[in-house]
Amino acid sequence: ALEGGRIARIGRIDEPARETIEADGRVVAPGFVDVHTHYDAQAFWDPMLSPSSFHGVTTVVGGNCGFSIAPLSPGAGEYLMRMLARVEGIPLESLREGVPWDWTSFGDYLAGLDGRLAVNAGFMVGHSALRRVVMGERAVGHEATPAEIEAMNALLRASLAEGGLGFSSTRSMAHNDADGQPVPSRHASLEEL
Protein backbone atom coordinates (compact mmCIF):
# COMPACT_ATOMS: atom_id res chain seq x y z
CA ALA A 1 0.00 0.00 0.00
CA LEU A 2 1.29 3.43 -0.92
CA GLU A 3 0.49 6.57 1.03
CA GLY A 4 1.92 9.98 0.23
CA GLY A 5 4.25 8.52 -2.40
CA ARG A 6 5.85 6.06 0.05
CA ILE A 7 5.38 2.36 0.77
CA ALA A 8 3.14 2.33 3.84
CA ARG A 9 2.42 -1.38 4.19
CA ILE A 10 3.33 -4.66 2.52
CA GLY A 11 1.62 -8.04 2.52
CA ARG A 12 -2.13 -8.56 2.56
CA ILE A 13 -4.00 -5.26 2.69
CA ASP A 14 -7.68 -5.69 3.65
CA GLU A 15 -8.90 -2.12 3.36
CA PRO A 16 -10.13 -0.85 -0.01
CA ALA A 17 -7.72 0.94 -2.32
CA ARG A 18 -8.36 4.37 -3.85
CA GLU A 19 -6.73 3.09 -7.06
CA THR A 20 -5.83 -0.40 -8.24
CA ILE A 21 -3.31 -1.09 -10.98
CA GLU A 22 -3.68 -4.27 -13.04
CA ALA A 23 -0.27 -5.96 -12.82
CA ASP A 24 -0.99 -9.65 -13.42
CA GLY A 25 1.99 -11.39 -15.02
CA ARG A 26 4.38 -8.57 -14.15
CA VAL A 27 6.97 -7.98 -11.46
CA VAL A 28 6.01 -5.04 -9.27
CA ALA A 29 8.85 -3.44 -7.33
CA PRO A 30 9.36 0.04 -5.95
CA GLY A 31 12.83 0.16 -7.50
CA PHE A 32 16.16 -1.53 -7.12
CA VAL A 33 19.18 -0.47 -5.09
CA ASP A 34 22.58 -0.86 -6.75
CA VAL A 35 24.92 -1.06 -3.76
CA HIS A 36 28.17 -1.17 -5.74
CA THR A 37 28.73 1.59 -8.27
CA HIS A 38 31.51 3.95 -9.26
CA TYR A 39 29.32 6.86 -10.35
CA ASP A 40 31.17 9.39 -8.16
CA ALA A 41 32.54 11.34 -11.14
CA GLN A 42 29.93 10.37 -13.76
CA ALA A 43 27.26 12.01 -11.59
CA PHE A 44 28.52 15.41 -12.76
CA TRP A 45 27.99 14.79 -16.49
CA ASP A 46 25.22 12.17 -16.44
CA PRO A 47 22.44 13.02 -13.97
CA MET A 48 20.56 9.88 -15.07
CA LEU A 49 23.44 7.70 -13.81
CA SER A 50 23.00 5.45 -16.78
CA PRO A 51 22.70 2.62 -17.42
CA SER A 52 21.47 1.86 -13.87
CA SER A 53 18.45 4.13 -14.13
CA PHE A 54 17.44 2.43 -17.40
CA HIS A 55 17.11 -0.90 -15.59
CA GLY A 56 14.82 0.10 -12.73
CA VAL A 57 17.52 1.19 -10.31
CA THR A 58 16.21 4.01 -8.15
CA THR A 59 19.07 4.20 -5.62
CA VAL A 60 22.82 3.88 -6.15
CA VAL A 61 25.72 3.70 -3.73
CA GLY A 62 29.06 5.01 -4.99
CA GLY A 63 32.51 5.37 -3.53
CA ASN A 64 33.09 1.64 -3.38
CA CYS A 65 36.52 -0.04 -3.27
CA GLY A 66 38.01 3.05 -1.60
CA PHE A 67 37.63 5.01 -4.86
CA SER A 68 35.69 8.10 -3.80
CA ILE A 69 36.67 11.52 -5.13
CA ALA A 70 36.00 13.25 -1.84
CA PRO A 71 37.43 14.48 0.38
CA LEU A 72 39.85 16.30 -1.85
CA SER A 73 42.98 18.40 -1.47
CA PRO A 74 44.51 20.57 -4.22
CA GLY A 75 47.17 17.98 -5.00
CA ALA A 76 44.90 14.93 -4.83
CA GLY A 77 42.58 15.60 -7.78
CA GLU A 78 45.02 14.82 -10.56
CA TYR A 79 46.11 11.60 -8.88
CA LEU A 80 42.52 10.45 -8.15
CA MET A 81 41.31 11.12 -11.70
CA ARG A 82 44.25 9.23 -13.21
CA MET A 83 43.64 6.36 -10.75
CA LEU A 84 39.95 6.21 -11.74
CA ALA A 85 40.86 6.27 -15.42
CA ARG A 86 43.03 3.20 -14.90
CA VAL A 87 40.94 1.23 -12.41
CA GLU A 88 37.46 2.04 -13.71
CA GLY A 89 38.22 2.62 -17.38
CA ILE A 90 36.76 6.13 -17.33
CA PRO A 91 38.29 8.26 -20.09
CA LEU A 92 40.71 10.77 -18.55
CA GLU A 93 39.30 13.51 -20.79
CA SER A 94 35.83 12.93 -19.32
CA LEU A 95 37.20 13.18 -15.80
CA ARG A 96 39.08 16.40 -16.59
CA GLU A 97 36.28 18.13 -18.51
CA GLY A 98 33.19 16.72 -16.83
CA VAL A 99 34.08 17.07 -13.15
CA PRO A 100 34.67 20.47 -11.48
CA TRP A 101 37.19 19.19 -8.87
CA ASP A 102 36.41 22.33 -6.84
CA TRP A 103 35.52 20.92 -3.40
CA THR A 104 37.61 19.96 -0.42
CA SER A 105 35.19 18.44 2.09
CA PHE A 106 32.86 15.52 1.56
CA GLY A 107 29.94 17.82 2.30
CA ASP A 108 31.03 20.23 -0.44
CA TYR A 109 31.19 17.32 -2.90
CA LEU A 110 27.66 16.22 -1.98
CA ALA A 111 26.40 19.82 -2.21
CA GLY A 112 27.69 19.94 -5.79
CA LEU A 113 25.40 17.02 -6.65
CA ASP A 114 22.39 18.03 -4.57
CA GLY A 115 19.22 18.25 -6.66
CA ARG A 116 20.99 17.24 -9.89
CA LEU A 117 20.46 13.48 -9.98
CA ALA A 118 17.50 11.52 -11.37
CA VAL A 119 17.92 8.73 -8.81
CA ASN A 120 18.68 8.57 -5.10
CA ALA A 121 22.40 8.42 -4.47
CA GLY A 122 24.70 7.97 -1.52
CA PHE A 123 28.47 7.78 -1.47
CA MET A 124 31.02 5.99 0.68
CA VAL A 125 34.17 7.72 1.91
CA GLY A 126 37.07 6.07 0.11
CA HIS A 127 40.24 4.97 1.84
CA SER A 128 42.45 5.92 -1.12
CA ALA A 129 41.07 9.48 -1.10
CA LEU A 130 41.59 9.78 2.66
CA ARG A 131 45.18 8.56 2.37
CA ARG A 132 45.95 10.90 -0.55
CA VAL A 133 44.56 13.95 1.28
CA VAL A 134 46.39 13.19 4.54
CA MET A 135 49.62 11.64 3.22
CA GLY A 136 50.04 13.27 -0.18
CA GLU A 137 52.43 11.33 -2.41
CA ARG A 138 53.43 9.13 0.56
CA ALA A 139 49.98 7.47 0.23
CA VAL A 140 51.54 5.15 -2.34
CA GLY A 141 54.43 3.01 -1.15
CA HIS A 142 54.34 3.89 2.55
CA GLU A 143 52.54 2.90 5.71
CA ALA A 144 50.84 5.69 7.62
CA THR A 145 52.38 7.03 10.81
CA PRO A 146 50.27 7.07 13.98
CA ALA A 147 49.70 10.81 13.46
CA GLU A 148 48.56 10.19 9.87
CA ILE A 149 46.17 7.45 11.00
CA GLU A 150 44.74 9.85 13.58
CA ALA A 151 44.33 12.53 10.88
CA MET A 152 42.59 10.03 8.55
CA ASN A 153 40.25 9.01 11.37
CA ALA A 154 39.36 12.66 12.02
CA LEU A 155 38.79 13.30 8.30
CA LEU A 156 36.65 10.17 8.03
CA ARG A 157 34.56 11.22 11.05
CA ALA A 158 34.03 14.67 9.52
CA SER A 159 33.12 13.14 6.13
CA LEU A 160 30.57 10.82 7.74
CA ALA A 161 29.06 13.74 9.67
CA GLU A 162 28.73 15.61 6.35
CA GLY A 163 26.77 12.80 4.69
CA GLY A 164 29.17 9.99 3.78
CA LEU A 165 27.44 6.60 4.04
CA GLY A 166 30.41 4.72 5.45
CA PHE A 167 34.01 3.75 4.80
CA SER A 168 35.22 1.71 1.82
CA SER A 169 38.60 0.22 1.02
CA THR A 170 40.27 -2.39 -1.16
CA ARG A 171 43.10 -4.87 -0.87
CA SER A 172 42.46 -6.36 -4.32
CA MET A 173 45.61 -7.19 -6.27
CA ALA A 174 43.82 -5.99 -9.43
CA HIS A 175 43.54 -2.41 -8.16
CA ASN A 176 46.53 -0.44 -9.39
CA ASP A 177 46.90 3.28 -10.08
CA ALA A 178 47.81 5.01 -13.34
CA ASP A 179 51.50 4.30 -12.76
CA GLY A 180 50.86 0.59 -12.20
CA GLN A 181 51.43 0.88 -8.43
CA PRO A 182 48.98 -0.53 -5.90
CA VAL A 183 46.28 2.05 -5.07
CA PRO A 184 46.84 3.89 -1.77
CA SER A 185 44.62 1.66 0.39
CA ARG A 186 46.70 -1.38 -0.57
CA HIS A 187 49.66 0.16 1.28
CA ALA A 188 47.75 0.35 4.58
CA SER A 189 49.01 -1.67 7.51
CA LEU A 190 46.64 -3.94 9.41
CA GLU A 191 46.84 -1.43 12.26
CA GLU A 192 45.60 1.30 9.93
CA LEU A 193 42.75 -0.87 8.68
Side-chain angles (χ1 to χ4, degrees), residues 4 15 25 33 53-54 58 60 67 80 94 100 102-103 105-106 121 137 141 143 156-157 167 169 172 176 178:
E15 55 196 80
V33 178
S53 60
F54 302 154
T58 57
V60 300
F67 300 146
L80 292 176
S94 297
D102 60 355
W103 59 87
S105 71
F106 205 86
E137 291 185 10
E143 289 187 4
L156 175 59
R157 277 191 292 279
F167 172 76
S169 190
S172 171
N176 295 313

Side-chain angles (χ1 to χ4, degrees), residues 13-167:
I13 310 296
D14 293 324
E15 55 196 80
R18 284 178 288 167
E19 179 183 3
T20 302
I21 299 169
E22 180 58 47
D24 285 346
R26 292 184 163 83
V27 174
V28 178
F32 297 98
V33 178
D34 189 343
V35 298
H36 191 128
T37 76
H38 294 280
Y39 286 137
D40 307 57
Q42 182 178 330
F44 286 101
W45 70 79
D46 177 14
M48 294 296 292
L49 297 180
S50 60
S52 290
S53 60
F54 302 154
H55 299 288
V57 171
T58 57
T59 303
V60 300
V61 177
N64 286 280
C65 304
F67 300 146
S68 67
I69 56 176
L72 188 65
S73 62
E78 180 67 23
Y79 174 83
L80 292 176
M81 74 174 79
R82 291 177 60 241
M83 178 186 73
L84 284 176
R86 164 92 184 242
V87 176
E88 296 302 324
I90 302 169
L92 190 55
E93 299 78 25
S94 297
L95 292 165
R96 283 203 171 107
E97 295 176 25
V99 181
W101 302 99
D102 60 355
W103 59 87
T104 53
S105 71
F106 205 86
D108 289 342
Y109 164 75
L110 292 176
L113 295 173
D114 192 32
R116 298 175 38 117
L117 303 178
V119 298
N120 301 306
F123 298 91
M124 306 287 279
V125 182
H127 195 180
S128 287
L130 291 171
R131 283 187 121 243
R132 192 65 188 202
V133 168
V134 170
M135 298 176 66
E137 291 185 10
R138 289 189 64 254
V140 173
H142 301 277
E143 289 187 4
T145 66
E148 289 168 333
I149 293 172
E150 186 177 316
M152 281 187 272
N153 283 333
L155 186 55
L156 175 59
R157 277 191 292 279
S159 297
L160 294 174
E162 294 168 354
L165 291 181
F167 172 76

